[in-house]
Amino acid sequence: DWILNAGVRYSHYSISADFDTSLFQFPVVSTMNSNGALNGSLGLVYRHSKNAHNYLNVSSGFRAPNIDDIGKVFDSEPGSVVVPNTNLKPEHAFNFESGFVKSFKGKVRLDGVVYYTYLKNALARANSSFQGSDSISYDGVLSQVQAIQNLSSAHVYGFQAGLELSIAKGISIFSSFNYQKGYEWNVDSSMFFPKVHVAPIFGRTALRYYRPQLKMEFYAVYHSGVANSELPLTERSDGSYALDENGLPYAPSWYTLNFKASYFFNKHLALNVGVENITNVLYRSLGSGVSAPGFNLIFSLKATF
């Protein structure tokens, strides 16, 4: 009834880099960055019965700084220039999750999980100095000096829930729901602000018909909106977002309706058809500067030999 999984791993990395100083007179011509980390995981599963179990997982991990983090020179935005930082250390993550899976007589299946991640020594871009000056001339523009630094911390938490309901033979409803929040410490403001790349509420609900020769699915994908005050600091003036009633960038909520079907003539030949974004809605996934496809037809024929 009880299953215990445990593991431990030691990792070590070493980066050796030479700097070409012909275009940018960086005072360091070469550097070595080397660090190691001991990480582990512990998982526990309790099976009440063949139809229900609970689980608990804790783990740690790390991400080594890469060549770009250590040695890249670039103008991130007008009036700012990022210079190399050869003294970076790895980021460390500490994770926790707890969940359950339960089914009722093969007709209803429920699952859910809550999770939390804490990120220590997170790499973040912040104001710095170069040869004792906080500003330098870069491409003819006086620019604030910045560097990637181990100055930040972040935490992400949320939950996921799923439901599958069998209505009749071959007909079922499936739905998944995801909620998450993430905050990152801003060194300049000494406050936590929303973290980049953390999606708002999103989910998927589908009506399915599955038989040996024919599979059909009509489903909706939905995504909540993000107000300007909930955007990461670096994106609150991003021109790729829509504008709210106050003229401020924000991410509108959206949903799409879709249909897909597969017909199996035999075990060797199958026809697949689909209609995505049936209502031809204009939307963008959060963090993407490119609009998603509109009304989309899919036809494919699959042959297996």
Side-chain angles (χ1 to χ4, degrees):
D1 295 337
W2 294 88
I3 300 174
L4 178 68
N5 294 294
V8 64
R9 177 177 65 186
Y10 177 78
S11 301
H12 192 91
Y13 74 91
S14 181
I15 296 176
S16 177
D18 296 321
F19 293 95
D20 181 354
T21 59
S22 60
L23 295 177
F24 183 78
Q25 297 303 310
F26 191 62
V28 177
V29 295
S30 64
T31 187
M32 175 74 75
N33 190 289
S34 181
N35 269 291
L38 184 68
N39 298 292
S41 64
L42 184 67
L44 183 65
V45 179
Y46 172 58
R47 297 184 180 275
H48 304 271
S49 65
K50 66 178 182 179
N51 296 320
H53 68 267
N54 292 74
Y55 60 91
L56 174 69
N57 295 312
V58 292
S59 64
S60 64
F62 89 113
R63 184 183 80 85
N66 57 36
I67 293 293
D68 273 1
D69 295 328
I70 291 174
K72 191 173 183 179
V73 178
F74 68 103
D75 49 342
S76 59
E77 57 189 8
S80 297
V81 59
V82 177
V83 299
N85 181 0
T86 59
N87 300 311
L88 291 178
K89 297 180 180 180
E91 299 175 315
H92 289 266
F94 303 92
N95 313 293
F96 164 85
E97 66 172 343
S98 179
F100 74 93
V101 178
K102 185 174 180 60
S103 61
F104 302 87
K105 299 181 180 179
K107 298 294 184 180
V108 180
R109 183 182 185 275
L110 297 173
D111 65 84
V113 59
V114 294
Y115 55 87
Y116 176 83
T117 294
Y118 173 69
L119 192 62
K120 179 183 177 182
N121 285 334
L123 301 180
R125 190 174 69 213
N127 292 341
S128 183
S129 63
F130 180 74
Q131 296 182 327
S133 176
D134 62 358
S135 300
I136 60 174
S137 178
Y138 186 76
D139 278 349
V141 178
L142 184 64
S143 301
Q144 167 69 54
V145 176
Q146 297 183 324
I148 305 296
Q149 304 172 55
N150 291 106
L151 293 177
S152 185
S153 62
H155 53 97
V156 178
Y157 60 89
F159 71 88
Q160 176 185 340
L163 166 67
E164 188 168 3
L165 174 63
S166 178
I167 301 175
K169 188 174 182 178
I171 302 176
S172 63
I173 294 177
F174 170 82
S175 186
S176 64
F177 179 85
N178 297 266
Y179 171 90
Q180 51 277 311
K181 289 287 186 180
Y183 296 94
E184 185 173 19
W185 179 258
N186 182 270
V187 178
D188 297 329
S189 304
S190 296
M191 294 177 61
F192 279 100
F193 287 93
K195 182 170 173 50
V196 297
H197 305 310
V198 176
I201 295 172
F202 69 93
R204 187 179 190 273
T205 299
L207 176 63
R208 295 170 171 173
Y209 176 74
Y210 280 12
R211 301 300 295 160
Q213 276 193 289
L214 179 64
K215 294 183 178 181
M216 296 189 296
E217 182 176 69
F218 178 74
Y219 63 97
V221 178
Y222 38 91
H223 206 290
S224 69
V226 180
N228 181 266
S229 60
E230 297 175 334
L231 289 173
L233 282 178
T234 56
E235 298 181 3
R236 293 186 181 181
S237 58
D238 193 330
S240 65
Y241 283 99
L243 300 180
D244 62 16
E245 62 274 10
N246 298 316
L248 299 174
Y250 83 113
S253 60
W254 55 265
Y255 71 91
T256 62
L257 301 178
N258 315 269
F259 173 79
K260 289 184 179 179
S262 298
Y263 184 78
F264 300 87
F265 296 97
N266 51 52
K267 65 180 182 179
H268 300 292
L269 189 63
L271 173 67
N272 301 299
V273 297
V275 185
E276 296 179 327
N277 198 357
I278 295 173
T279 57
N280 199 33
V281 66
L282 173 64
Y283 72 97
R284 291 181 182 178
S285 297
L286 185 70
S288 173
V290 180
S291 296
F295 181 82
N296 189 30
L297 290 172
I298 300 171
F299 295 93
S300 67
L301 190 64
K302 182 179 179 180
T304 304
F305 301 95

